[in-house]
Amino acid sequence: MAEDPALSLRVSEIKDPAALFERYNTEEIRQIERKVRGEIEQKKEELRQMVGERYRDLIDAADTIGEMRQCSESVVQSIQDMHQYCRSLKQGRAGVSSCGQSQRQWQEKFYTMASQIKLLLEIPERIWSAMEASQYLQATQLYLLCCHLHSLLQLGAATGGLYSPVLARFPILVRQVATTGHFRSTILLDSRSLLRGRAVSDQAIAEALVSTMLLEGSSPRQALADFLLARKASIHQLLNQPQHGAGIKAQVCSLVELMVTTLFQAYAVFYLPPEGGPRPGEGALSCGMLFSILENVTSTTPAAKGSRRVLQEETSTGSWFKYLPPSITEFQPALRTLAQPIQREQLRDTLQQWINTCKEDICRGVGSLLVYVKSLKGLAAIRDAVWDLLSTDSISQHWNTVCQRLLERPLAVWDDFLQQLFLQRLQAITKDETESISTSSVQLLTSAVRDLEGQTIHTSSGTNPGSSRGAQYEVDVASFLWSESPGDLLSDAGWVSVTQRGQQQHRSGLAMKTQALTPCVQNFCSSMDAKLRARLDDLQHYLPSQDTGSDSISVTVSSSGHTESSFNRFTDSSAVEEALREGCLACVRHILSSIRSELAAASPDPSPARLSSVLFMARLCQSMGELCPNLKHCILGKQMGSEATAKGTPRQGKKLGKARATAEVSPAHAKWAGLKEELLNCSMEAYRIWSSALSKVLLDKFGTALHAESAGAILTTATNWEDLEIQEEAESGSSVTSKIRLPVQPSWFVQSLLFQLCVEVNRVGGHALPRPTLQELLQTCLAQALQHYHSLTQQARSKEGVFPMTQNRALQLLFDLRYLNTTLGSKMEEGKSSRSHQDPRIHEVCDWLESYIDPFDLDVFTPPLNANLNRLSQRTSVLLGLLTGSEKQFASRSSSVNSQEPYNILPLTSSQIRFGLLPLSMSNVRKSKSASRGPDAPHQPAPPSSTADTDSFRPGSLFRQLADQDEDTGAPSLFKLSWLSGMAK
């Protein structure tokens, strides 16, 4: 691209502007114009800079010329002066002066006054320098010297308001006199402010007190009062300073340090050892510094004057110092009164009164400060900081000696001042936290109960299919027991046995199901246990650690060899644990009161919606002590709880220590046992509400069917009878075969009652129900059934027109009643007959029913009827397992080998740990054992029954039995695997 000719044109080449209009067009002319204007502006700027630089150079040259002129004028003037001085020396040499001795005396007086005036003018500066260096005793001495100079020079105001001759001759001294008048108040103020400081040496305190005594003319007792008042003001200042974050620990430590330092400095400054007593040796604390400093400052002996003169350092500073009179060079301040030492009784009483006053202020102030500490960890940190402060060598080595000499008694700062305050704050924190736990737990309980009631209503009405699974499990525990979840077995269940697994570790879901602990119960207990764990962890900061225990005290005490100096941080450990114990007891009792109020609201006539919440609260109270291990630790104390757990693990330890435990029960264990008893009673009360409601509903249906009056209703409940052939001897002596019909099954309403009862018990996790609750439920059902039978006897006697009581119906009802009594009746106690143990109404109803049966037929029917009843009870014991416990296993089952009856009666497992009466088929096992063991098997002695009973109730006994039974079989057994037997535990 070619360059534009208009832009390449130089400005110097432009000669004729008209020629530009001939050579270029309009646009190019404008470009040339812009270029010319730009160069014009550039030249202007260069000219402006050049003029500025030259102007600066011109001004500098003018200044230099002016200085040269002044210098030359001064040189000329000096030469002229020298010329005049030389001429005066040449002209006149005066004669010898005739003044003589009088002039010399006047000159000495003049120099003496001049040196005093010079010293008077220099003293204020020296006073300020001494005060800046906190040397208040030096400043006081200079001030007193200044006052002495004033008196010597007679600088006071003369009569008539006129100045003295010196002031009239030297007016500058007027201002000097006014200035020195303010030094006294300033020195006093700064000396007293020094007394308030914590990090001030004993020497500085003593010198400040001596300064105050010299300026005010006070006594040592007044100096002690000033010192203690200053320290009390310092304590108030520390207590009233504003809070800016984490400063409470520093404030408390500062208070303790100030208290301790005050007593140490009172000993160092005011205490004098008794006359004739042993002098303190090397390394001991110094004492009586106030009196030694006073003696050095005010003594008039020549040795003291030479060692502690005020102007001692001025002897070589200037030639004028030699003109000062001896009254100034040897000046020593003096007290107005004689400084008498403080008596030991007066010193002790004054210090004790000050300690009592400060104790009230410190208790009030520290108590208000500790309100801002919200955790026991913070309290422990403050306590440990105080302990570290008091355990330092500088304090612990001489503390008891100082207290004994000053107060004639030991003084424990922590025990007398702070321990009770910290304990009260700890109790308040623990109470607030446990009340918070109880409030949140009651809210969680209330919300869980409302959710359960709502879930039950929706389930009964068939609505809300997407409700929470946990609430469904509470309504139907059986669905929870037979459901599978990923957490049923722990990840290490295959190789870690129960004996190797700690009690505090996470429990598997299968273990929870074996105890019928539903998710709602687990969530409530885990939430409460986590909060209690946080409280327990916070409490451990205030208690001795388990690895050191009380040894930490002895180690710390023996480090310096002075056992009295450092306090025991853990003397209130029992009170601390008691505070947490009482708080946890109040927390659980508050929860129990809320549960009891819920139960009271549901007890009159519980609806199905209320029954699920009642069962939830029953399971909660039953399992709270087990699922909240930290509750036990909070009540027993962590160390006591762990020791109790460790001691209670082996079975032998339990058996051997049972008598010892009953003899030696600590209050903590008694409270824990009482709390467990309250939880158990509340659980039993809730189960009692459920059992009474269940028995009422089932027995109402039972009574309606039993009191049926029409033949059709009676026939609908009848069951099939069995035909039996019996041989009887006729009168002629020949045998006669006859056929009889006897009931072998109970009526349908009896079977329905027992089956529904078993279903309902299994629905709520019957294997985990307390045995007394189940026994009470069965006894209630049996008692109400007997009441219906008894009312049937009354109905048959009072009413007419009802279906008559026939012999067959009486036989069926008699069979039903005896079967109910066999199934629901309690175990017969030793030493009592069956008739004396049974309800008398049973005999009454049986006699009433037997009255409708022919006596001859009754004698014939009784043996086979009893056999049918026994066989039926054994057969239905599998179906009604939870209703017939292990105590109702009949003796005929064990002698079934010798029995003539061909019926197949399934043997029942002896383990009742988790599942009630689980059937086992042992026919193949018996055959294999008899074939493998040979003829020697019958001769082997049977194991003791006690050992068998003990082993049968141990965890995993069922699987051990299966494994033992399969040892001799050829086929591999699944129960031989050790990991599977470990999972069973």
Side-chain angles (χ1 to χ4, degrees):
M1 182 177 180
E3 186 179 0
D4 192 354
L7 297 177
S8 61
L9 180 63
R10 297 181 178 178
V11 178
S12 60
E13 296 177 356
I14 302 175
K15 303 298 183 181
D16 186 8
L20 295 178
F21 288 94
E22 294 177 359
R23 294 174 55 187
Y24 304 103
N25 55 24
T26 306
E27 186 63 29
E28 293 175 345
I29 293 297
R30 289 177 179 169
Q31 293 180 0
I32 294 172
E33 181 187 5
R34 285 195 295 271
K35 181 179 180 182
V36 171
R37 290 184 183 276
E39 292 185 359
I40 291 172
E41 294 296 331
Q42 183 178 1
K43 296 300 181 181
K44 286 182 179 180
E45 183 64 26
E46 293 177 357
L47 179 62
R48 192 179 299 112
Q49 294 180 358
M50 182 181 64
V51 171
E53 292 176 357
R54 296 295 182 269
Y55 183 71
R56 248 191 332 266
D57 296 340
L58 180 61
I59 292 176
D60 292 340
D63 292 340
T64 304
I65 294 171
E67 291 176 358
M68 292 174 65
R69 184 177 64 250
Q70 292 177 0
C71 183
S72 61
E73 290 178 354
S74 64
V75 170
V76 171
Q77 184 65 34
S78 298
I79 293 174
Q80 291 177 357
D81 293 341
M82 291 173 65
H83 179 69
Q84 291 178 2
Y85 181 70
C86 292
R87 187 176 59 184
S88 64
L89 288 177
K90 289 179 182 180
Q91 287 179 354
R93 296 186 64 185
V96 179
S97 176
S98 61
C99 296
Q101 188 67 25
S102 61
Q103 185 178 2
R104 211 180 290 113
Q105 292 178 355
W106 176 86
Q107 189 176 10
E108 288 181 0
K109 291 182 180 180
F110 175 78
Y111 286 160
T112 300
M113 182 172 291
S115 61
Q116 293 179 12
I117 293 174
K118 179 176 176 57
L119 179 60
L120 187 61
L121 293 176
E122 289 185 358
I123 280 180
E125 182 179 355
R126 296 182 183 181
I127 292 177
W128 286 120
S129 299
M131 292 182 65
E132 289 177 357
S134 298
Q135 297 177 358
Y136 300 110
L137 180 58
Q138 180 69 20
T140 302
Q141 291 176 305
L142 291 173
Y143 169 74
L144 295 177
L145 177 59
C146 184
C147 295
H148 182 61
L149 285 172
H150 286 178
S151 62
L152 289 179
L153 295 176
Q154 298 179 356
L155 298 181
T159 57
L162 300 177
Y163 289 121
S164 64
V166 179
L167 289 179
R169 184 71 61 87
F170 302 98
I172 192 173
L173 296 179
V174 177
R175 181 176 297 179
Q176 196 70 14
V177 171
T179 302
T180 56
H182 301 289
F183 280 127
R184 182 178 184 276
S185 60
T186 305
I187 295 174
L188 286 174
L189 184 62
D190 290 350
S191 298
R192 285 168 177 166
S193 64
L194 179 71
L195 299 178
R196 298 185 181 184
R198 300 190 307 274
V200 183
S201 64
D202 301 342
Q203 182 73 22
I205 292 291
E207 290 182 356
L209 290 172
V210 170
S211 300
T212 305
M213 294 175 64
L214 292 175
L215 292 176
E216 293 184 341
S218 56
S219 63
R221 292 184 61 183
Q222 183 63 35
L224 175 62
D226 294 341
F227 173 66
L228 296 180
L229 284 176
R231 289 306 173 92
K232 184 178 180 182
S234 182
I235 289 176
H236 281 283
Q237 182 180 2
L238 280 174
L239 291 174
N240 297 326
Q241 68 182 13
Q243 300 295 323
H244 298 290
I248 298 178
K249 180 169 68 174
Q251 281 184 261
V252 175
C253 291
S254 300
L255 284 172
V256 174
E257 183 183 5
L258 185 61
M259 285 284 300
V260 173
T261 306
T262 300
L263 289 181
F264 272 108
Q265 291 178 345
Y267 175 83
V269 175
F270 297 99
Y271 179 79
L272 284 177
E275 296 181 0
R279 306 301 298 177
E282 296 183 0
L285 291 176
S286 58
C287 59
M289 297 179 65
L290 178 72
F291 304 100
S292 61
I293 294 175
L294 273 176
E295 184 178 0
N296 291 335
V297 170
T298 62
S299 177
T300 58
T301 59
K305 286 185 177 182
S307 62
R308 195 63 186 263
R309 290 185 300 181
V310 179
L311 299 177
Q312 185 178 6
E313 67 275 7
E314 303 294 337
T315 55
S316 60
T317 56
S319 59
W320 59 270
F321 184 79
K322 60 185 178 180
Y323 296 104
L324 291 174
S327 62
I328 295 177
T329 56
E330 297 179 2
F331 173 77
Q332 291 286 101
L335 283 174
R336 299 176 186 173
T337 58
L338 184 61
Q340 295 290 341
I342 304 177
Q343 298 296 327
R344 296 185 62 183
E345 293 78 9
Q346 296 176 352
L347 181 62
R348 179 196 61 198
D349 297 340
T350 305
L351 289 176
Q352 187 60 54
Q353 183 180 3
W354 178 80
I355 289 173
N356 295 335
T357 306
C358 292
K359 182 177 180 180
E360 298 176 0
D361 299 336
I362 289 176
C363 292
R364 190 183 308 110
V366 174
S368 61
L369 287 177
L370 293 181
V371 174
Y372 298 99
V373 181
K374 302 298 182 181
S375 65
L376 305 187
K377 182 179 180 181
L379 284 178
I382 300 175
R383 179 202 61 187
D384 294 342
V386 173
W387 185 82
D388 292 337
L389 175 65
L390 295 179
S391 299
T392 55
D393 293 339
S394 60
I395 295 177
S396 59
Q397 289 182 358
H398 306 286
W399 174 249
N400 283 342
T401 304
V402 170
C403 293
Q404 191 64 35
R405 292 179 179 177
L406 288 179
L407 305 175
E408 298 180 0
R409 68 176 183 88
L411 177 64
V413 178
W414 171 259
D415 297 338
D416 295 344
F417 287 78
L418 301 176
Q419 181 183 8
Q420 194 63 29
L421 297 175
F422 276 67
L423 185 59
Q424 291 175 359
R425 181 55 187 160
L426 182 143
Q427 292 171 348
I429 292 176
T430 304
K431 182 179 179 181
D432 294 341
E433 293 295 335
T434 51
E435 286 179 354
S436 175
I437 293 174
S438 65
T439 303
S440 60
S441 300
V442 168
Q443 292 176 355
L444 184 60
L445 174 69
T446 305
S447 63
V449 169
R450 299 299 172 259
D451 292 343
L452 288 176
E453 293 177 358
Q455 171 65 23
T456 307
I457 294 174
H458 293 315
T459 303
S460 60
S461 61
T463 59
N464 195 12
S467 59
S468 63
R469 185 64 60 88
Q472 294 179 3
Y473 286 157
E474 289 294 334
V475 176
D476 187 7
V477 181
S479 62
F480 166 67
L481 297 178
W482 298 105
S483 63
E484 295 185 0
S485 60
D488 284 346
L489 288 178
L490 298 177
S491 59
D492 57 352
W495 51 86
V496 178
S497 63
V498 175
T499 56
Q500 298 174 352
R501 194 184 305 278
Q503 292 188 358
Q504 301 301 326
Q505 295 182 5
H506 181 66
R507 303 177 64 183
S508 63
L510 188 60
M512 295 293 182
K513 290 179 180 179
T514 57
Q515 298 179 359
L517 300 179
T518 54
C520 289
V521 176
Q522 297 178 34
N523 294 336
F524 182 92
C525 292
S526 62
S527 174
M528 182 176 175
D529 189 63
K531 297 172 184 176
L532 291 175
R533 177 60 184 271
R535 286 288 87 225
L536 197 61
D537 291 343
D538 192 19
L539 183 72
Q540 294 312 307
H541 293 97
Y542 209 85
L543 297 177
S545 58
Q546 293 186 6
D547 53 350
T548 59
S550 59
D551 297 338
S552 61
I553 304 169
S554 60
V555 171
T556 306
V557 168
S558 62
S559 61
S560 60
H562 296 270
T563 57
E564 300 87 354
S565 57
S566 58
F567 63 91
N568 187 354
R569 289 178 289 176
F570 309 114
T571 52
D572 53 358
S573 297
S574 58
V576 171
E577 291 184 345
E578 183 65 24
L580 182 61
R581 182 181 301 117
E582 294 298 330
C584 291
L585 288 173
C587 171
V588 177
R589 283 169 181 152
H590 184 215
I591 297 174
L592 284 177
S593 65
S594 178
I595 292 177
R596 288 193 180 98
S597 63
E598 294 286 345
L599 295 179
S603 57
D605 189 12
S607 60
R610 286 290 183 90
L611 281 181
S612 59
S613 60
V614 167
L615 287 171
F616 162 71
M617 289 183 283
R619 284 188 287 268
L620 179 62
C621 295
Q622 183 183 4
S623 59
M624 187 181 295
E626 183 178 359
L627 292 186
C628 297
N630 289 299
L631 176 62
K632 181 178 180 181
H633 292 155
C634 290
I635 295 177
L636 296 182
K638 196 162 188 179
Q639 296 180 353
M640 294 175 62
S642 60
E643 291 174 1
T645 305
K647 291 179 181 179
T649 302
R651 294 181 67 89
Q652 280 188 345
K654 287 184 178 179
K655 294 179 180 179
L656 294 177
K658 188 175 296 184
R660 188 182 305 168
T662 56
E664 301 176 0
V665 178
S666 64
H669 284 83
K671 291 181 180 180
W672 171 243
L675 182 63
K676 289 196 297 184
E677 186 69 22
E678 292 182 24
L679 288 170
L680 180 60
N681 292 337
C682 190
S683 175
M684 298 300 293
E685 180 183 354
Y687 277 124
R688 193 174 296 112
I689 295 174
W690 165 78
S691 62
S692 61
L694 177 62
S695 61
K696 183 177 183 302
V697 172
L698 296 180
L699 269 299
D700 286 346
K701 298 180 181 178
F702 174 82
T704 302
L706 180 64
H707 291 81
E709 299 179 355
S710 62
I714 295 175
L715 289 177
T716 55
T717 60
T719 56
N720 191 21
W721 286 28
E722 182 183 23
D723 294 335
L724 291 178
E725 292 183 356
I726 60 174
Q727 291 183 357
E728 298 176 333
E729 186 177 357
E731 295 179 357
S732 59
S734 60
S735 62
V736 178
T737 302
S738 61
K739 184 179 291 187
I740 61 176
R741 295 174 58 83
L742 290 176
V744 292
Q745 295 181 11
S747 301
W748 287 121
F749 60 87
V750 176
Q751 297 186 35
S752 177
L753 168 66
L754 295 177
F755 183 74
Q756 290 296 328
L757 183 61
C758 191
V759 168
E760 293 298 329
V761 171
N762 279 281
R763 185 190 300 274
V764 299
H767 64 279
L769 279 179
R771 196 66 187 171
T773 298
L774 190 58
Q775 291 288 348
E776 183 179 358
L777 174 62
L778 300 182
Q779 292 174 6
T780 303
C781 291
L782 181 60
Q784 294 185 11
L786 287 177
Q787 182 64 31
H788 286 297
Y789 275 105
H790 191 267
S791 63
L792 180 63
T793 63
Q794 303 298 327
Q795 176 185 358
R797 296 172 185 174
S798 61
K799 288 189 178 181
E800 296 181 358
V802 298
F803 187 79
M805 181 64 67
T806 61
Q807 179 172 328
N808 289 341
R809 186 185 178 193
L811 273 174
Q812 183 65 54
L813 292 178
L814 181 63
F815 186 83
D816 295 345
L817 178 59
R818 294 183 61 187
Y819 176 65
L820 282 174
N821 185 34
T822 303
T823 306
L824 302 179
S826 59
K827 181 182 177 182
M828 184 172 56
E829 298 180 6
E830 296 181 1
K832 292 186 179 181
S833 63
S834 60
R835 296 189 63 86
S836 62
H837 183 70
Q838 292 176 352
D839 193 329
R841 292 180 297 178
I842 296 179
H843 309 301
E844 182 180 351
V845 175
C846 288
D847 294 341
W848 178 74
L849 291 175
E850 289 175 356
S851 65
Y852 289 97
I853 304 173
D854 184 78
F856 177 77
D857 292 342
L858 183 61
D859 293 338
V860 175
F861 293 162
T862 297
L865 194 64
N866 290 336
N868 290 346
L869 181 63
N870 192 11
R871 185 169 60 249
L872 176 66
S873 298
Q874 296 184 35
R875 283 180 172 179
T876 56
S877 62
V878 176
L879 180 64
L880 308 176
L882 287 175
L883 303 184
T884 56
S886 58
E887 72 275 2
K888 296 179 183 177
Q889 297 172 3
F890 296 90
S892 60
R893 183 178 62 181
S894 60
S895 60
S896 59
V897 179
N898 300 327
S899 177
Q900 301 294 329
E901 299 180 3
Y903 303 107
N904 182 17
I905 306 300
L906 292 177
L908 304 178
T909 176
S910 60
S911 174
Q912 299 293 328
I913 296 294
R914 295 176 179 172
F915 303 101
L917 300 178
L918 185 67
L920 278 179
S921 177
M922 302 177 61
S923 58
N924 295 330
V925 176
R926 290 174 179 173
K927 290 179 181 179
S928 62
K929 284 186 177 180
S930 60
S932 61
R933 293 178 182 176
D936 296 336
H939 300 285
Q940 296 178 356
S945 59
S946 61
T947 307
D949 294 339
T950 304
D951 294 338
S952 64
F953 287 97
R954 290 181 180 176
S957 60
L958 172 60
F959 293 109
R960 282 197 295 270
Q961 291 174 8
L962 293 175
D964 293 340
Q965 293 164 4
D966 291 342
E967 282 180 356
D968 301 326
T969 58
S973 173
L974 181 64
F975 295 100
K976 288 182 179 180
L977 300 178
S978 61
W979 65 269
L980 184 58
S981 63
M983 284 192 296
K985 300 175 184 179

